[in-house]
Amino acid sequence: MLLTITTKRYPATDLGYLLHKHPAKVQTVELTAGSAHIFYPEATDQSCTAALLLDIDPVKLVRRGSSGHDFSLEQYVNDRPYVASSFMSAAIAHAYSSAMNGRCKDKPHLVDEAMPFEVTLSVLPVKGGEYLLRQFFEPLGYEVSVQSYILDEQFPEWGQSRYFNVTLRHTLPLKTILSQLYILIPVCDNDKHYFVGGHEIEKLMEKGQGWLDSHPSKELITRRYLRNIGPLAKEALGLIMRDDVLPVEVKEPKEKVRLHDVRLQAVRDLLLELGVSAVADMGCGEGKLLRLLMEKSAFKRILGMDVSYHALEIAQSKLKIDRLPEQQKARIQLIHGSLTYRDKRLSGFDAGVLVEVIEHLDLPRLQALEKVVFEYARPQYVIITTVNAEYNVLYEKLEAGAFRHSDHRFEWTRAEFEEWGNRIAEQFGYIVTYRPLGEVDEVLGGPSQLALFKR
Ligand code: SAH
C-alpha cells in the first residue's frame, strides 16, 4: 500500500520542509503492525513527490489480536497487508504528524498556504465502490480519478472489485489534505480491525474541523469512522452537527420492522390520496397491507393474491376472515395464483400494489409479471416498491454486495429502478413518478423506493 503526495509549486522541494522529511534520506517509522517507509522518488524545484510505503507484517497483525476471527484462515488469508485502511491513517499520524498538526519549524509561513497537490493511493479498498468514493471526496473539491479492477476477468458478471487506484487533485494547505485522508481512508475501507474508543471522537472532531460539519455525507462518514458503535456515533454526530442534531438510530435490526411499517403506511396513504376504492395487493404475503386497508372504509373491494399458499393461510387467520361480519367479509378476498401467469381475477381494479415483490423474481419471470400486471390486469394505478441498493452500505452488518434478504434475486439502485420503471411506463402507456420511502439519507436516498404508475 502506497501513498504519494506530489506538488509542482515552485520550489517544489518545500514539500520536504512541510513534511519534516529530508528528500535525500529514506526514513522508516515503526508501527504496531509493521513499518512505514518514507522516500522521495522525485525531488526537484519543479516537481517533488513524497512516498509513504506501508509494510504491514501479517504475523504482527495476528499477534496484536486485531484481525477478526470470522473464518479460521482469515489471519493468513486477508487483504490487510496490501491495502490502505486504518494502518495508513496510523502511518500518516506517525510519519507526518507535524505536517498534519500544522507545524513547520523552518518555514512556518508554508503551513497555511494552499498549494496544488496530487495524491495517489494504491490500493484503496472502498466498501460501496466508486460511487461512494466520489461522494466522500468530490464535495470537498477534489478532482477524483479512479482506476478500478474487475473481480475476475473470466467472470465479468461478478462485477468490479472493491479495490481502486485513486488519484486526488486539489489546491489546499497540506495539513488539510492530510487530515482529510486521515479520516476518509478508513471510512472508505470500513473494515473492523480498527480499534474505536472514546478518544476517537476527539480525533474525528479535531481532524474534521472546518470541513466535516458541512460535508453532505457527514452522517455516513461519522458512522463509519466510529463503526459498529451506535452510541458513540450518536454522541459524535451530536457534537459535529451541533444545532441541527439528528436523532441517529442504530439502523438494524430494529429498523427492519419499522421500515416495513413505514412503507405500508405510505402505500395506504397514497391509495387514499388517489381516491381509489378497489385495490389488488399482488404478492400480499401474510396480509399486513390488507389489514391496514381493511381499517379504511374508503376501500370497498380488496383482493390479496400470493403464490405462497402458506402465506395466504397466515393472512386468512391474521385477518380473522372467517369471523368477520358479512358486510366486512364481502369487501375482502384472498386468491392463490402467480403474477407470472395471465389471470382474469386481477382485472377490474382501480389500483394494483406490489410491495417488495419484484426483487423476489428472476429477471425472465419479471418480464412475465410486467405483462400480467400492466397489459392484462391493467389497473388505473400501479404502485411498486422495492429496496434501494445504494442504501445498503448503511447497514453495517451487511457485507459489500450482499442482499438484504436471502430470497432477493436482485436489488436495484435508484437509477436502475427508474430505468426499469421508465421502460415499463413507455411500453404500456403509463406515466410514472418516484419517491423514497423511510428515513432519507441525503446522498444515498431512502432505504426503500416507490414508483407510482398512472395509466
Ligand atoms: N407484500 C408483502 C410481502 C412481500 S414478500 C409485504 O409487503 O409484506 C414477497 C411476496 O411475494 C411473498 O409473499 C411471495 O410469496 C410473493 N411472490 C413471489 N413471487 C410471486 C409470484 N410469482 N406471484 C405472486 N406472488 C409472488
Side-chain angles (χ1 to χ4, degrees):
M1 162 64 212
L2 181 70
L3 163 74
T4 69
I5 301 175
T6 302
T7 187
K8 295 191 180 339
R9 169 204 161 283
Y10 190 86
T13 42
D14 271 353
L15 184 61
Y17 289 99
L18 267 173
L19 289 174
H20 240 256
K21 294 282 175 286
H22 197 285
K25 285 194 260 180
V26 175
Q27 298 187 42
T28 298
V29 294
E30 291 305 321
L31 304 168
T32 46
S35 40
H37 310 287
I38 303 109
F39 56 96
Y40 290 73
E42 180 186 34
T44 69
D45 284 345
Q46 279 68 41
S47 181
C48 184
T49 299
L52 179 64
L53 177 71
L54 261 192
D55 187 7
I56 296 296
D57 178 345
V59 175
K60 268 196 190 170
L61 201 61
V62 174
R63 292 221 183 100
R64 226 174 126 241
S66 52
S67 110
H69 293 289
D70 292 344
F71 70 101
S72 57
L73 281 177
E74 189 179 342
Q75 41 185 280
Y76 303 104
V77 189
N78 65 55
D79 62 1
R80 297 298 100 190
Y82 312 106
V83 303
S85 87
S86 49
F87 293 113
M88 183 47 96
S89 281
I92 292 173
H94 272 74
Y96 296 154
S97 72
S98 38
M100 184 158 61
N101 292 317
R103 286 193 303 272
C104 183
K105 211 167 55 214
D106 298 320
K107 300 195 174 188
H109 60 280
L110 295 178
V111 165
D112 293 310
E113 186 184 325
M115 300 180 188
F117 285 106
E118 182 178 294
V119 174
T120 70
L121 281 159
S122 52
V123 182
L124 181 68
V126 186
K127 191 172 176 195
E130 179 175 345
Y131 175 77
L132 265 195
L133 177 71
R134 290 186 181 278
Q135 294 298 336
F136 291 145
F137 283 100
E138 284 178 349
L140 297 170
Y142 286 92
E143 187 192 322
V144 180
S145 13
V146 177
Q147 188 191 353
S148 61
Y149 301 93
I150 61 170
L151 264 180
D152 190 320
E153 282 172 7
Q154 290 193 19
F155 301 95
E157 66 275 16
W158 289 358
Q160 299 290 319
S161 85
R162 65 183 190 110
Y163 300 99
F164 300 90
N165 281 343
V166 180
T167 305
L168 306 165
R169 289 184 198 87
H170 205 344
T171 300
L172 278 178
L174 183 61
K175 64 174 185 189
T176 309
I177 294 198
L178 292 175
S179 298
Q180 294 174 343
L181 291 173
Y182 177 86
I183 300 291
L184 292 177
I185 289 172
V187 162
C188 283
D189 184 12
N190 201 31
D191 196 46
K192 60 172 175 279
H193 68 273
Y194 196 77
F195 174 71
V196 179
H199 62 285
E200 292 297 340
I201 295 185
E202 284 146 44
K203 279 198 218 160
L204 182 69
M205 303 280 300
E206 187 193 313
K207 305 287 187 286
Q209 226 171 49
W211 60 275
L212 186 54
D213 62 346
S214 55
H215 197 295
S217 298
K218 63 188 163 192
E219 202 183 324
L220 181 58
I221 292 170
T222 305
R223 201 192 304 281
R224 280 187 164 202
Y225 186 81
L226 304 170
R227 59 161 300 158
N228 291 333
I229 307 208
L232 265 190
K234 199 168 176 170
E235 187 185 333
L237 270 168
L239 290 167
I240 288 162
M241 297 188 193
R242 281 175 299 254
D243 301 330
D244 54 329
V245 184
L246 295 171
V248 179
E249 306 226 338
V250 186
K251 294 247 173 196
E252 54 178 358
K254 249 193 321 190
E255 194 191 71
K256 267 196 174 148
V257 182
R258 222 168 36 90
L259 171 62
H260 196 52
D261 291 338
V262 168
R263 199 151 42 201
L264 296 174
Q265 285 288 350
V267 169
R268 181 176 75 175
D269 291 348
L270 181 55
L271 288 166
L272 286 170
E273 206 180 297
L274 297 172
V276 298
S277 71
V279 180
D281 184 2
M282 306 176 176
C284 63
E286 299 175 2
K288 290 198 182 112
L289 179 65
L290 297 174
R291 195 165 72 195
L292 287 182
L293 298 179
M294 284 297 281
E295 287 170 7
K296 297 285 173 190
S297 58
F299 303 114
K300 307 266 183 283
R301 228 176 106 218
I302 301 167
L303 177 84
M305 186 251 222
D306 206 285
V307 76
S308 158
Y309 195 80
H310 181 61
L312 289 170
E313 283 178 330
I314 297 175
Q316 169 96 11
S317 94
K318 280 200 175 157
L319 291 163
K320 305 191 176 70
I321 291 187
D322 298 335
R323 277 176 275 156
L324 286 177
E326 282 310 314
Q327 212 186 349
Q328 293 298 322
K329 207 185 276 180
R331 289 170 67 209
I332 182 147
Q333 189 189 5
L334 297 180
I335 61 171
H336 187 210
S338 171
L339 289 164
T340 51
Y341 295 97
R342 183 177 188 167
D343 194 328
K344 284 208 192 71
R345 298 171 297 173
L346 295 175
S347 319
F349 287 87
D350 305 321
V353 180
L354 295 93
V355 179
E356 314 292 291
V357 173
I358 57 170
E359 64 271 28
H360 290 269
L361 281 93
D362 297 320
L363 291 174
R365 298 178 69 232
L366 183 62
Q367 278 181 7
L369 176 144
E370 291 164 14
K371 275 179 112 71
V372 169
V373 174
F374 290 92
E375 189 175 321
Y376 302 132
R378 208 164 170 69
Q380 178 81 18
Y381 299 100
V382 179
I383 295 173
I384 297 190
T385 80
T386 188
V387 299
N388 166 20
E390 290 162 73
Y391 198 86
N392 286 356
V393 294
L394 288 179
Y395 295 101
E396 297 290 0
K397 295 195 187 93
L398 205 62
E399 272 304 303
F403 292 153
R404 284 187 218 173
H405 191 290
S406 57
D407 188 48
H408 284 178
R409 308 304 158 90
F410 59 84
E411 290 185 353
W412 281 338
T413 62
R414 285 167 293 176
E416 286 167 331
F417 186 41
E418 288 176 24
E419 193 187 321
W420 178 79
N422 293 345
R423 202 234 325 133
I424 297 290
E426 163 102 353
Q427 188 176 340
F428 297 101
Y430 281 76
I431 294 167
V432 60
T433 51
Y434 304 91
R435 61 190 77 180
L437 289 174
E439 195 187 320
V440 175
D441 179 272
E442 263 178 82
V443 175
L444 304 166
S448 200
Q449 44 186 344
L450 180 150
L452 169 64
F453 298 83
K454 183 176 189 294
R455 204 170 65 204

